[in-house]
């Protein structure tokens, strides 16, 4: 083993957060013979619902998997048919349709459930790489100038490289930046329908095999087919942040916000004259409805170099989901950071090279995301998005 490789193996690399970006970073480092440790708050990989499905882009998410040596394993786990897209009006009138790919047709953005992707990445890492149930209480620069983590149990962990892959409310980001996520003015309410082909066949037919967007009245109903016969529903409304945080409370209605039926009624009341099939996405949901205010970091967020510390994914460039770029960018960040660390003996040269490429890429995606957020909530959003999808597909879909 060369001296350079031995030195790289001695680096202590601490990654905070076991999301797609953090796990991709750990995997690509492992391929290059560089160990790392991932500190994750969740008690296990199955401690909570991992969320919906992702469409992995050829130039970002799939490229990251290629660097991770997992692209061929990804393909049979993905769902190319998830590329179907339906754009509807409030009366379920079809404004635009991209049919599912025919057999043999390619799809450069196949879908994969977040849970399945996480299992793929975790299964590729040496046992013990992820330290589950490790809450980071604080991150700081130690006396020797090295970054250090203080865990909830009082343990202090020093590192040569500390990577914040810990999402919107990153504990690592304050070491680099005083920027905080800002509420965008839009909130989602997440719901789930199970066993849809048997229990909710009309909803299954309405949504199709991929994604459905229904837009009108400056609000939206978004539905997304997942594996295992499930459909995720995202009700999107412009609302004060307090509306989302308070559990759908109507100030004029003292109903218990913890009452699922009351919350469902308050949400349905926002869509009084919408098609009953669309309203069924809310009315027939299984389990609780979960409010989720949408936040974003400033477009073009960046920081000056602080030795040994960097960020990736939402910790670096949180944006609204309206560009479909979050997980894709996080995975590409992770892969490119690992490649930079493998390519350079000097850590600061590696981190500078990574950030120099990441900053403009993230800024472009954040700009697109912010623009699309505005477009989705215009009074004529259906026309705006129909025109946008028409341009993107250049005549390759039913209209």
């Amino acid at each position: 083993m060369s001296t350079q490789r031995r030195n790289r193996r001695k680096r202590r690399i601490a990654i905070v957060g076991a999301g797609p970006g953090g796990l991709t970073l750990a995997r690509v480092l492992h391929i290059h013979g560089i160990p790392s440790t991932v500190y994750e708050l969740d008690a296990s990989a199955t401690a909570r619902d991992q969320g919906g499905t992702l469409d992995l882009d050829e130039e970002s998410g799939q490229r990251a998997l290629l660097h991770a040596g997992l692209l061929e394993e990804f393909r049979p786990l993905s769902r190319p048919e998830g590329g179907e897209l339906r754009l509807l009006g409030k009366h379920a009138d079809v404004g635009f349709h991209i049919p599912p790919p025919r057999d043999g047709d390619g799809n450069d953005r196949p879908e994969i459930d977040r849970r399945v992707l996480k299992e793929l990445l975790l299964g590729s890492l040496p046992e013990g790489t992820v330290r589950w149930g490790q809450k980071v209480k604080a991150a700081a620069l130690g006396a020797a100038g090295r970054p250090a983590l203080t865990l909830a149990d009082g343990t202090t962990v020093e590192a040569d490289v500390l990577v914040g892959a810990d999402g919107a409310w990153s504990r690592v980001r304050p070491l680099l930046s005083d920027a905080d996520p800002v509420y965008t003015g839009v909130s989602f309410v997440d719901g789930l329908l199970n066993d849809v082909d048997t229990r909710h066949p009309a909803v299954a037919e309405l949504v199709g095999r991929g994604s459905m967007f229904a837009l009108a009245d400056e609000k939206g109903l978004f539905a997304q087919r997942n594996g295992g016969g499930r459909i995720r529903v995202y009700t999107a409304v412009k609302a004060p942040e307090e509306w989302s945080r308070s559990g759908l409370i109507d100030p004029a209605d003292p109903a218990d916000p913890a009452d699922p039926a009351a919350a469902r009624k308050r949400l349905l009341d926002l869509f009084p004259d919408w098609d009953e099939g669309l309203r069924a996405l809310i009315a027939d949901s299984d389990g609780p409805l979960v409010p989720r205010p949408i936040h974003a970091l400033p477009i073009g967020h960046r920081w000056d170099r602080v030795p040994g510390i960097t960020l990736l994914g939402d910790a670096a460039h949180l944006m609204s989901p309206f560009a479909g770029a979050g997980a894709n960018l996080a995975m590409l960040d992770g892969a490119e950071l690992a490649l930079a660390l493998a390519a350079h003996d000097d850590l600061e040269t590696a981190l500078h090279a990574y950030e120099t490429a990441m900053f403009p890429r993230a800024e472009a995606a954040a700009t697109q995301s912010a623009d699309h957020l505005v477009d989705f909530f215009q009074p004529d959003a259906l026309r705006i998005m129909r025109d946008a999808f028409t341009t993107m597909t250049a005549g390759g879909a039913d209209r």
Side-chain angles (χ1 to χ4, degrees):
M1 182 184 296
S2 70
T3 302
Q4 289 179 340
R5 185 162 183 178
R6 279 197 299 271
N7 289 340
R8 289 171 192 169
R9 285 186 59 85
K10 290 179 181 177
R11 294 172 177 170
R12 291 174 293 179
I13 299 178
I15 304 165
V16 182
L23 293 177
T24 300
L25 170 58
R27 166 61 182 177
V28 180
L29 286 171
H30 171 63
I31 282 181
H32 289 272
I34 303 173
S36 64
T37 303
V38 182
Y39 297 90
E40 170 55 45
L41 172 63
D42 287 347
S44 71
T46 58
R48 61 183 174 87
D49 180 31
Q50 296 302 309
T53 187
L54 301 167
D55 51 350
L56 291 196
D57 186 82
E58 240 180 345
E59 295 304 315
S60 51
Q62 290 185 57
R63 178 144 59 104
L65 288 176
L66 178 64
H67 290 306
L70 297 172
L71 187 57
E72 293 309 311
E73 292 182 48
F74 157 76
R75 296 191 194 283
L77 299 174
S78 68
R79 293 179 288 104
E81 70 277 7
E84 181 178 13
L85 184 143
R86 299 182 180 188
L87 182 62
L88 309 180
K90 66 192 288 185
H91 302 302
D93 44 313
V94 178
F96 185 86
H97 181 222
I98 299 176
R102 296 192 275 288
D103 289 343
D105 284 356
N107 178 5
D108 61 0
R109 292 178 67 95
E111 300 279 340
I112 186 169
D113 283 11
R114 286 179 178 268
R115 175 188 58 80
V116 177
L117 177 63
K118 189 165 189 175
E119 289 172 353
L120 173 64
L121 290 166
L122 284 170
S124 72
L125 293 173
E127 187 173 353
T129 299
V130 180
R131 305 283 179 87
W132 299 102
Q134 297 292 323
K135 181 178 180 179
V136 173
K137 186 176 180 180
L141 287 174
R146 281 200 187 98
L149 297 174
T150 301
L151 305 180
D153 63 4
T155 302
T156 298
V157 177
E158 286 195 344
D160 298 303
V161 179
L162 172 60
V163 182
D166 48 342
W169 310 105
S170 171
R171 292 280 189 169
V172 179
R173 186 170 57 235
L175 294 179
L176 298 172
S177 166
D178 60 3
D180 288 319
V182 174
Y183 180 56
T184 62
V186 170
S187 284
F188 282 9
V189 181
D190 298 357
L192 181 67
L193 292 93
N194 296 310
D195 194 15
V196 293
D197 295 302
T198 301
R199 297 180 56 231
H200 308 287
V203 167
E205 176 62 28
L206 181 71
V207 172
R209 302 172 71 184
S211 297
M212 183 278 293
F213 301 91
L215 302 171
D217 305 333
E218 300 182 70
K219 58 178 72 81
L221 288 171
F222 310 147
Q224 183 188 68
R225 173 76 76 140
N226 291 188
R230 294 168 296 163
I231 288 177
R232 299 265 175 182
V233 180
Y234 307 96
T235 305
V237 298
K238 293 197 293 188
E241 188 172 9
E242 294 73 21
W243 177 87
S244 182
R245 285 181 171 170
S246 62
L248 305 180
I249 289 178
D250 179 348
D253 181 355
D256 179 4
D259 180 354
R264 189 172 287 107
K265 180 182 182 302
R266 284 192 287 274
L267 201 56
L268 282 168
D269 286 346
L270 299 176
F271 299 84
D273 58 344
W274 284 49
D275 177 80
E276 285 303 317
L278 291 171
R279 283 167 50 87
L281 292 166
I282 300 171
D284 296 346
S285 61
D286 299 310
L289 297 168
V290 181
R292 182 160 59 92
I294 304 300
H295 292 80
L297 283 166
I299 295 172
H301 175 241
R302 57 188 67 199
W303 52 87
D304 295 329
R305 262 296 56 250
V306 173
I309 307 172
T310 194
L311 306 171
L312 63 76
D314 284 352
H317 43 69
L318 177 69
M319 61 192 74
S320 81
F322 290 97
N328 280 283
L329 286 181
M331 294 174 68
L332 185 58
D333 289 350
E336 292 198 344
L337 175 54
L339 293 173
L341 289 167
H344 297 282
D345 292 330
D346 181 70
L347 290 177
E348 287 309 295
T349 300
L351 298 180
H352 176 75
Y354 157 68
E355 291 173 356
T356 298
M358 181 269 287
F359 285 146
R361 177 174 67 224
E363 182 173 356
T367 299
Q368 183 184 58
S369 174
D371 289 345
H372 285 179
L373 182 145
V374 172
D375 290 342
F376 267 84
F377 295 93
Q378 295 283 8
D380 57 344
L382 184 63
R383 178 196 62 77
I384 292 171
M385 296 314 301
R386 181 187 64 227
D387 291 348
F389 284 126
T390 299
T391 300
M392 283 190 290
T393 56
D398 301 334
R399 289 185 290 282

